Amino acid sequence: MTPRFARVAALGTLLQAIQRAARGKRHLPEVARFVMDAERHGLELSHALREPMGSEAAWRPGPARTFQLYDPKLRQITVVPFADRVVHHALCEVLLPDFERFAIFHSYACRTGKGQHAALLCCQKYARSQKDGWVFKGDIRAYFASIPHDRLLEVIHRRVGESDLRALLAQIVHAYSSGEGRGLPIGALTSQHLANLYLGVLDHYVKDDLGARRYLRYMDDFAVFGTKEEVLMFRRQIALFLHNRLGLSLNERTSRVLPVRDGVPMLGMRVYPAVVRISRARWQRFQKRHRTVEQQLSDGVLTEEQAADSLTSQYAHLQKWNTYRIRQRFLERNARLAEARDNMGGS
């Protein structure tokens, strides 16, 4: 057993992983039971991870359940057992420094100090410096479901030196195959980081081989700026690289070359040199979410505190951009509707 694998299997690492995996989920019965007897469960996981892989007592991924969610398109979400989530957290704790060393500066998903807000600020900075330029805004068709396991494991092999850690990652990757040796489950922590690592190969190709100076990526959403000729070349070369090297393809419906002055569609927003506006689809999702929370509050499913917590992060994200007027109109309309309902109830 290599030292870093021993660290993954250490009781202290697993106990910390239990606390991280339980954040925001302690009200769920499965999680509550696990946390109440955390030390015993941690010891069981530690012993199972230390067993030779393939033996009867060795740890292996448990059965997952799936459900479908429209957000805004149909997605299949996978929920793995809580014990598996603990192992994922422990594994990522040890491996993330390896993944971080491979990442370019302007990769913004699944990284400390990055995130959607930073990605949009970077996009606006590039738009401001290229007011009369062009941009290729791309994303990948069915990204998580399309990742080929064999090519992903090749990337893992190059980034992770220890054979036992690579074998554990391979076991997790193969546990959720679509039947064609493809796909990572949306909803698993390892999926987020491995998917981000995989497209790091694209990042280095665009920056190092194509020489793009203004490029950013948030998971499978990316944008590269330049002259019209440069951007058209980037589009052609990226499409070929994705197909030939990574076994992926562009989403032809949403991958577009357009003038920067028309605004860059990025992460549900429209980024202009001077302002960032919310897209129609993102605003409709926000309104739908708001109505759902209000209904759950009215039905007693949520407390006022839970309802506020559910919406706070969404409002906080919108407040950072040029959305004041649309938010004010929405809140005023909601207040009028609430007053009308109260008046009808009292009549």
Side-chain angles (χ1 to χ4, degrees):
M1 181 183 297
T2 60
R4 290 208 302 169
F5 192 97
R7 186 179 155 203
V8 172
L11 178 60
T13 303
L14 291 166
L15 289 176
Q16 292 175 3
I18 289 171
Q19 298 306 314
R20 289 195 299 273
R23 284 176 189 161
K25 301 179 178 67
R26 291 174 181 267
H27 62 286
L28 300 175
E30 177 195 14
V31 178
R33 288 193 297 269
F34 203 102
V35 171
M36 284 180 65
D37 202 1
E39 188 164 330
R40 180 176 67 83
H41 289 299
L43 280 169
E44 289 173 354
L45 283 175
S46 179
H47 292 320
L49 286 166
R50 293 172 187 275
E51 289 287 333
M53 192 168 292
S55 71
E56 190 67 28
W59 178 85
R60 55 180 55 82
R65 62 182 179 86
T66 61
F67 63 92
Q68 293 183 329
L69 177 70
Y70 283 91
D71 184 34
K73 56 189 177 184
L74 182 64
R75 301 179 188 273
Q76 180 165 291
I77 309 298
T78 300
V79 180
V80 302
F82 185 73
D84 288 18
R85 296 206 294 273
V86 172
V87 173
H88 293 182
H89 273 273
L91 187 56
C92 288
E93 175 70 16
V94 171
L95 291 179
L96 284 186
D98 292 351
F99 297 173
E100 182 66 22
R101 282 191 291 272
F102 184 58
I104 65 168
F105 184 83
H106 292 300
S107 167
Y108 287 93
C110 304
R111 298 177 66 199
T112 303
K114 301 291 184 176
Q116 290 192 22
H117 183 209
L120 289 167
L121 285 175
C122 175
C123 187
Q124 187 177 32
K125 181 184 76 172
Y126 286 160
R128 193 175 292 129
S129 70
Q130 297 280 295
K131 292 180 182 178
D132 299 319
W134 289 71
V135 62
F136 169 45
K137 167 57 183 64
D139 72 271
I140 295 168
R141 184 170 63 87
Y143 177 49
F144 276 75
S146 300
I147 297 173
H149 291 177
D150 55 349
R151 300 191 196 192
L152 171 62
L153 292 173
E154 288 175 8
V155 175
I156 291 172
H157 189 89
R158 291 195 295 271
R159 306 304 341 151
V160 179
E162 298 91 338
S163 60
D164 49 6
L165 286 174
R166 293 200 299 256
L168 182 59
L169 283 168
Q171 189 178 26
I172 292 171
V173 168
H174 288 314
Y176 310 109
S177 175
S178 64
E180 301 174 352
R182 287 181 178 268
L184 293 177
I186 298 174
L189 181 67
T190 49
S191 296
Q192 299 173 34
H193 289 293
L194 292 177
N196 202 37
L197 173 71
Y198 193 55
L199 281 185
V201 180
L202 172 66
D203 297 341
H204 284 281
Y205 173 71
V206 175
K207 295 289 291 182
D208 303 339
D209 296 348
L210 297 184
R213 294 177 56 203
R214 297 176 179 85
Y215 165 84
L216 73 144
R217 179 178 64 82
Y218 185 95
M219 198 53 78
D220 62 320
D221 281 344
F222 58 89
V224 56
F225 295 75
T227 65
K228 186 174 184 179
E229 291 74 19
E230 288 173 334
V231 166
L232 288 171
M233 180 274 292
F234 289 143
R235 191 193 193 289
R236 287 194 302 272
Q237 296 302 318
I238 287 172
L240 287 172
F241 183 84
L242 287 171
H243 180 269
N244 296 333
R245 178 70 182 278
L246 298 179
L248 303 169
S249 59
L250 289 171
N251 184 331
E252 296 295 340
R253 185 179 62 83
T254 55
S255 297
R256 294 187 291 155
V257 170
L258 66 161
V260 171
R261 64 175 177 271
D262 288 353
V264 185
M266 191 80 184
L267 300 175
M269 310 298 280
R270 195 87 183 185
V271 181
Y272 297 88
V275 297
V276 178
R277 302 193 185 282
I278 189 169
S279 69
R280 181 186 297 273
R282 178 71 174 267
W283 180 245
Q284 288 173 342
R285 292 203 301 276
F286 171 80
Q287 289 177 297
K288 181 180 178 181
R289 176 61 181 160
H290 201 288
R291 288 193 296 268
T292 299
V293 171
E294 284 188 329
Q295 187 61 53
Q296 290 175 332
L297 178 61
S298 176
D299 294 342
V301 176
L302 296 178
T303 65
E304 289 189 4
E305 183 178 357
Q306 289 171 329
D309 288 344
S310 180
L311 295 173
T312 294
S313 61
Q314 296 188 55
Y315 272 107
H317 184 65
L318 293 181
Q319 286 170 354
K320 296 179 184 296
W321 313 111
N322 303 90
T323 61
Y324 177 78
R325 290 182 180 178
I326 193 170
R327 284 186 288 110
Q328 284 299 107
R329 290 198 299 269
F330 178 67
L331 292 172
E332 289 168 2
R333 176 178 174 275
N334 274 12
R336 290 195 301 271
L337 290 173
E339 184 179 358
R341 286 196 299 267
D342 290 344
N343 291 336
M344 290 177 63
S347 60

